Amino acid sequence: MRGEKMRITKIESFKQAVTLHHPFKIAFATIDELQTIIVKVTTDTGWVGYGEASPFEPVTGESIETEMVMLTTFAEQLVGMDPRLIEQIHSALDATTVGHTAAKAGIDIACYDILGQAAGLPLYQLLGGNSNQIVSDFTIGIDDPAAMAEEAQARVAAGFTELKVKVGGDDQQDLAAVRAIRAAVGPTVDIRIDANQAWTPKQAKRMMRAFGDDVSAVEQPLPAAQTHQLPLVRELVDQPVMVDESVHDAHDAFHVLATGGADIVNIKLQKASGLWGASQINAVAEAAGIPVMLGCMVETRIGITAAVHFVAAHRNAQYADLDAFMDFAEPEWLSGGFTQEGGVYTLTDAPGLGIQCDL
Ligand SMILES: [Mg+2]
């Protein structure tokens, strides 16, 4: 009802383990078992919203332990506030602490879930309403080239038309892997690579020339600390340069794009404090004429669904890398949000996130 008061009565955080089907290797880490945090916000009007906090310590310095502590602090602070007043909620969170973007994302997503339910609208309509469908790539982790090609072929057979390939280990092996994948999937599948901060500018030039037309974009070629050298990399390589670890929030995006450092920005809700921060980054990027991608950490269907809504909502969100939930057995307490046919995800019209969660 219009003008009806709504107050947060409880914020609970549930630590959940997810076991990956296969260990996942990127340039700076190998991952096999992980934890994530499901955030549940309850109101005095009976609405319940779900969010997810999935920290990745090498990128944000946040861990499950630190975010559980912050979520307890945030919970005490936010009880009594209206979850639909998203900017007010973020002002309270940011006044308490800088960083802790994963915990903030967990709260943010749950509040948007409630906002959507209270408005009777799916989030993709509330956030922008460009579409109800997205196309996601599938990410191939570093392995031996034959195994990577086999996995790529299986995913393309399952309907994926875009692949993201992790590189940044051994140069020769990276080249062999991309060649093997291209040979296995044929000429029409789009292949982007992610070097996860592993290269120097000269190495980026050498590698991207060697990849040539097999690769359509390179993600995060340089360490985040070398972000000032990205304009040089853009001069040296023909393919578009995407930033991930270099851009966490709208301030980072402004600095990188004002200096001509990137062609595409990879937004992650867990870096950006949720959908609110993602909207700000997307606005900065769109104003600079730069499209965005939505990526993910190791998130369940809750965090992924939030990002799918964001991509569907916005014309400028032209790419999606929202595949993490396929890397592990989906928990029996969670379903809904979207249906999937290969890389095409279609959102339901249920209000809010549209997920069902039994926690
Ligand atoms: Mg990345």
Side-chain angles (χ1 to χ4, degrees):
M1 291 305 236
R2 194 177 306 163
E4 188 191 349
K5 286 192 168 53
M6 187 192 293
R7 298 286 174 253
I8 294 172
T9 52
K10 198 164 51 170
I11 299 181
E12 298 161 277
S13 300
F14 304 94
K15 196 159 71 169
Q16 298 291 321
V18 295
T19 304
L20 299 179
H21 293 313
H22 308 286
F24 189 77
K25 193 171 172 214
I26 62 174
F28 57 78
T30 301
I31 301 151
D32 49 19
E33 180 165 304
L34 281 139
Q35 291 179 315
T36 187
I37 304 167
I38 307 303
V39 178
K40 180 180 184 181
V41 175
T42 305
T43 69
D44 61 353
T45 52
W47 299 115
V48 174
Y50 288 96
E52 182 161 6
S54 180
F56 188 46
E57 210 164 354
V59 174
T60 60
E62 301 164 9
S63 67
I64 293 289
E65 289 71 27
T66 63
E67 299 319 273
M68 286 296 284
V69 170
M70 283 319 301
L71 281 162
T72 306
T73 305
F74 292 155
E76 288 165 9
Q77 209 171 26
L78 298 183
V79 164
M81 290 183 70
D82 188 329
R84 299 167 301 182
L85 304 184
I86 303 283
E87 182 145 350
Q88 205 173 82
I89 296 279
H90 276 283
S91 295
L93 295 175
D94 290 342
T96 305
T97 177
V98 295
H100 297 287
T101 55
K104 289 173 181 173
I107 303 252
D108 168 279
I109 295 166
C111 288
Y112 270 103
D113 189 18
I114 291 170
L115 178 63
Q117 292 174 53
L121 294 172
L123 281 185
Y124 75 85
Q125 288 184 12
L126 203 58
L127 293 170
N130 185 53
S131 167
N132 69 339
Q133 218 169 47
I134 71 151
V135 177
S136 175
D137 66 27
F138 189 88
T139 302
I140 310 291
I142 297 172
D143 201 336
D144 66 75
M148 291 171 75
E150 195 180 324
E151 161 114 61
Q153 198 166 29
R155 295 300 173 176
V156 168
F160 282 89
T161 54
E162 299 175 18
L163 297 172
K164 168 160 142 177
V165 178
K166 293 289 191 182
V167 298
D170 174 76
D171 287 358
Q172 291 312 313
Q173 185 149 333
D174 289 343
L175 291 168
V178 169
R179 270 197 299 269
I181 290 169
R182 177 54 78 199
V185 302
T188 58
V189 171
D190 186 77
I191 300 176
R192 299 187 283 269
I193 55 159
D194 186 355
N196 281 111
Q197 316 184 67
W199 291 341
T200 64
K202 282 187 175 168
Q203 198 176 5
K205 172 185 172 186
R206 199 165 63 236
M207 292 297 284
M208 293 312 290
R209 288 203 176 165
F211 286 130
D213 290 341
D214 279 342
V215 161
S216 69
V218 52
E219 181 174 337
Q220 196 66 39
L222 307 184
Q226 306 303 321
T227 295
H228 64 286
Q229 290 191 307
L230 284 172
L232 171 64
V233 172
R234 279 182 81 213
E235 289 290 315
L236 295 175
V237 310
D238 290 333
Q239 298 90 338
V241 174
M242 187 187 306
V243 280
D244 177 359
E245 289 92 333
S246 287
V247 171
H248 290 227
D249 58 24
H251 306 288
D252 295 338
F254 175 74
H255 286 297
V256 168
L257 298 180
T259 53
D263 301 283
I264 308 167
V265 175
N266 181 354
I267 299 174
K268 290 178 180 162
L269 299 181
Q270 301 297 329
K271 290 185 299 181
S273 303
L275 293 161
W276 184 248
S279 303
Q280 294 175 329
I281 297 172
N282 181 54
V284 168
E286 190 164 19
I290 297 292
V292 303
M293 178 170 90
L294 263 282
C296 58
M297 303 299 190
V298 178
E299 295 167 54
T300 70
R301 184 171 284 267
I302 294 178
I304 297 293
T305 298
V308 174
H309 277 288
F310 190 89
V311 174
H314 296 291
R315 182 179 53 174
N316 195 53
Q318 294 177 11
Y319 309 94
D321 176 28
L322 298 172
D323 54 359
F325 71 100
M326 281 178 270
D327 289 333
F328 46 86
E330 282 208 80
E332 71 287 349
W333 42 264
L334 182 59
S335 62
F338 57 88
T339 57
Q340 186 196 0
E341 274 187 64
V344 179
Y345 301 5
T346 306
L347 288 156
T348 72
D349 271 338
L353 283 176
I355 55 113
Q356 288 83 47
C357 183
D358 294 334
L359 291 179

